[in-house]
Amino acid sequence: MDNKNRGSFSGSIGFILTAIGSAVGLGNLWGFPYKMGANGGFPFLIIYLIFVVFCGVVVMALEMSIGRKTGKSPVLAMGEIGRQYRIVGWFSVLCPTIISGFYSVLIGYSVRYAWGFLLEIFGGNGFDGMGGGDFFGTYTADVTQVLIFTIITLVGCGIIVAGGISGGIEKFNKVGIPGLFVLLIVIIIYNFTLPGASQGLTYMFTSKGMEMAGTEFDFFNACRVAAGQMLFSCSLGMGIMITYGSYMKPEESISRNAWIIPAADTLAAIMAGLAIFPAVFAQGGTPNGGVGLLFITLHDTFTSMGSIGNIIGFLFYVLVIFAGVSSLISLMEVSSAHFIDSSEAKGKPVSRKKAVLAMTAIIFVLSVPVCLDMLGGSAITQLPLVSKIGCLLDTYDFFTEGLMMPLAAILMCLIVGWKKGPSWYEEEMEKCGNKIIGKSFFRVSIKYITPAMMTFVLISLALSYLGI
Ligand code: TRP
């Protein structure tokens, strides 16, 4: 496992920041605010937090333990537990590939926005003279531009992943993640000076918010969306953390990381909410603005700041790109690691560069229809399966975070919790004298609470799909 093709992390902070870098991404900045806004605000937040503790922390510890114990990437790691469990590992090749297919398009959007603000700084016309809503609509319908920015994103990430773990990914996160937090704080403070902004806080943190904003609340739907969003945001349910765990040193405390990483991720999501909702209300908008919320609202916020807004806007989208890229490289890393490992197991090793090149090409092929769909503006969205779910991007999302990721989480809990038993993972978590923070919490959750909650989510998904 310690061969030179795979590499390893240089230290504890490097590991935590890399894992947080994978977790904090467009899921937090783009997905969380718009899903919270579309699902009732405050009650959604509470449900989300419950899922973070009882499923996020638990699955995080589980995946890291599986990874470090076997020292392998997901398919081979699960195969080592039992041949028939390789199927779980396969999700971890399929899911990241599908997610990358729309993730790269969204990072491409951010690249376009950063470029727009850069032009504005130098007195140019970065957004064709349009405001938030109009520009977003026009840009997303311009397939050629969207494709170009997607290609820029994929090529950049391919180069970083091909460079290897400690060289490429770690350096990126040491600067990008702290920088993102700082800039979010700046935007949040600015928001507090806007008239009407306090309504955003009421919406996010009190039960009065729902009537105020006139948004609907459907408990089952909120649970389903919150669970999927949580897995997505913490990078769980498809074995990414198995791969990361396989690179983790034995002295590292798995349980400590399993608490810190989801906590940091949730903090970032709430901060993104604080950067967006007060501004939404100050601008007289509604929180259920959907997929474009991050881009439209903040574009208007930065414009309202005057010329300094161009600089802050530029920096912000650059950091969104950082956050997105560090997640996308983690997605590309997992699927590439699979090809590297399995080719080695077969005795015909493939170089890292070749594996990454192949993955990048596959992801590009998946991203083209998403670009062509224009977030639902094309005939693709009218296809039978897609139209039932939303646009093509929603469909990719549905099959991954809605279906496969909860399923993988359930299977991992059942296989490790019941088949292998607590001593199997506890031994790994206690390595080198580490104490498990919340030992009985993990025991009860892995066996009962987490699989039960995830099963509930899948059943409610099935019922809503069948229209019951
Ligand atoms: N967590 C990232 C985000 O919030 C996305 C992501 C990166 C991801 N790696 C993942 C999601 C692995 C699921 C699994 O944007």
Side-chain angles (χ1 to χ4, degrees):
M1 69 185 127
D2 250 332
N3 61 53
K4 55 183 179 333
N5 261 353
R6 296 200 70 205
S8 87
F9 290 104
S10 61
S12 170
I13 284 294
F15 178 79
I16 292 200
L17 283 180
T18 305
I20 295 179
S22 155
V24 175
L26 298 175
N28 310 63
L29 303 168
W30 160 81
F32 180 81
Y34 103 74
K35 288 179 183 174
M36 180 172 171
N39 287 284
F42 180 65
F44 179 86
L45 177 64
I46 299 294
I47 295 173
Y48 186 84
L49 292 176
I50 295 173
F51 274 106
V52 171
V53 175
F54 288 100
C55 301
V57 172
V58 175
V59 179
M60 180 73 75
L62 207 53
E63 289 196 17
M64 285 179 174
S65 306
I66 296 174
R68 196 170 70 184
K69 196 164 172 109
T70 58
K72 299 209 160 73
S73 57
V75 179
L76 298 178
M78 293 311 290
E80 195 167 295
I81 299 177
R83 262 199 87 73
Q84 70 275 34
Y85 303 135
R86 290 173 75 110
I87 177 84
V88 179
W90 275 107
F91 287 142
S92 64
V93 181
L94 210 56
C95 272
T97 313
I98 300 175
I99 290 177
S100 303
F102 69 81
Y103 213 87
S104 50
V105 179
L106 290 168
I107 299 176
Y109 287 2
S110 313
V111 176
R112 173 64 186 86
Y113 274 74
W115 170 240
F117 279 110
L118 187 66
L119 287 179
E120 296 275 337
I121 293 174
F122 292 104
N125 187 359
F127 299 100
D128 304 330
M130 285 184 253
D134 290 339
F135 178 76
F136 187 74
T138 314
Y139 171 68
T140 49
D142 184 345
V143 175
T144 319
Q145 264 207 63
V146 174
L147 269 174
I148 290 173
F149 284 105
T150 306
I151 293 172
I152 294 176
T153 306
L154 277 174
V155 171
C157 291
I159 291 172
I160 295 169
V161 179
I165 273 278
S166 45
I169 302 179
E170 269 191 56
K171 276 191 203 133
F172 214 83
N173 290 305
K174 280 193 178 142
V175 194
I177 297 298
L180 181 73
F181 275 90
V182 171
L183 212 65
L184 277 173
I185 292 172
V186 171
I187 299 171
I188 293 168
I189 293 173
Y190 172 77
N191 273 343
F192 285 137
T193 68
L194 300 174
S198 62
Q199 286 180 52
L201 298 182
T202 315
Y203 179 72
M204 282 182 78
F205 299 118
T206 74
S207 56
K208 276 200 281 203
M210 259 193 310
E211 333 148 16
M212 188 185 91
T215 50
E216 280 173 35
F217 181 65
D218 168 345
F219 176 72
F220 293 101
N221 199 48
C223 286
R224 199 166 58 64
V225 176
Q229 169 64 23
M230 185 282 294
L231 291 175
F232 185 92
S233 189
C234 294
S235 301
L236 294 171
M238 48 186 252
I240 282 227
M241 292 297 161
I242 295 185
T243 305
Y244 277 44
S246 74
Y247 297 127
M248 202 169 161
K249 298 218 164 78
E251 311 85 66
E252 296 261 348
S253 162
I254 291 181
S255 66
R256 199 188 53 167
N257 282 327
W259 286 102
I260 293 178
I261 297 161
D265 184 76
T266 306
L267 182 68
I270 293 175
M271 283 169 70
L274 285 170
I276 291 178
F277 289 118
V280 167
F281 286 95
Q283 291 160 11
T286 50
N288 52 354
V291 185
L293 198 62
L294 168 75
F295 295 100
I296 297 170
T297 307
L298 286 179
H299 181 177
D300 285 336
T301 304
F302 298 134
T303 310
S304 78
M305 292 174 173
S307 55
I308 182 91
N310 292 330
I311 298 175
I312 299 187
F314 170 69
L315 286 176
F316 178 76
Y317 285 107
V318 166
L319 288 172
V320 173
I321 298 167
F322 264 77
V325 166
S326 59
S327 299
L328 184 56
I329 50 190
S330 92
L331 292 159
M332 293 169 76
E333 172 66 33
V334 188
S335 28
S336 311
H338 167 68
F339 288 119
I340 296 170
D341 281 4
S342 63
S343 69
E344 243 152 42
K346 282 187 203 130
K348 286 190 224 144
V350 166
S351 76
R352 186 176 185 93
K353 290 203 170 63
K354 273 203 187 125
V356 173
L357 187 68
M359 271 323 298
T360 312
I362 295 172
I363 294 167
F364 176 65
V365 169
L366 282 169
S367 71
V368 172
V370 177
C371 297
L372 292 175
D373 186 40
M374 303 180 286
L375 294 179
S378 82
I380 298 174
T381 294
Q382 310 308 324
L383 296 172
L385 182 69
V386 182
S387 67
K388 205 152 183 187
I389 298 168
C391 61
L392 189 64
L393 191 155
D394 292 331
T395 310
Y396 281 19
D397 210 29
F398 176 91
F399 281 104
T400 51
E401 73 170 43
L403 199 63
M404 286 192 259
M405 284 150 67
L407 198 58
I410 295 175
L411 289 172
M412 281 189 275
C413 286
L414 296 182
I415 294 166
V416 175
W418 290 87
K419 185 108 185 118
K420 288 288 171 186
S423 56
W424 191 84
Y425 61 85
E426 281 173 1
E427 183 192 280
E428 189 60 39
M429 288 170 82
E430 282 169 340
K431 257 207 176 138
C432 296
N434 279 307
K435 288 226 158 24
I436 301 179
I437 308 166
K439 195 164 179 167
S440 22
F441 164 79
F442 282 112
R443 275 200 186 180
V444 179
S445 302
I446 290 178
K447 263 194 157 166
Y448 307 100
I449 304 177
T450 314
M453 283 170 75
M454 287 290 158
T455 307
F456 165 78
V457 161
L458 282 184
I459 292 175
S460 77
L461 175 81
L463 294 182
S464 89
Y465 189 74
L466 297 171
I468 299 170

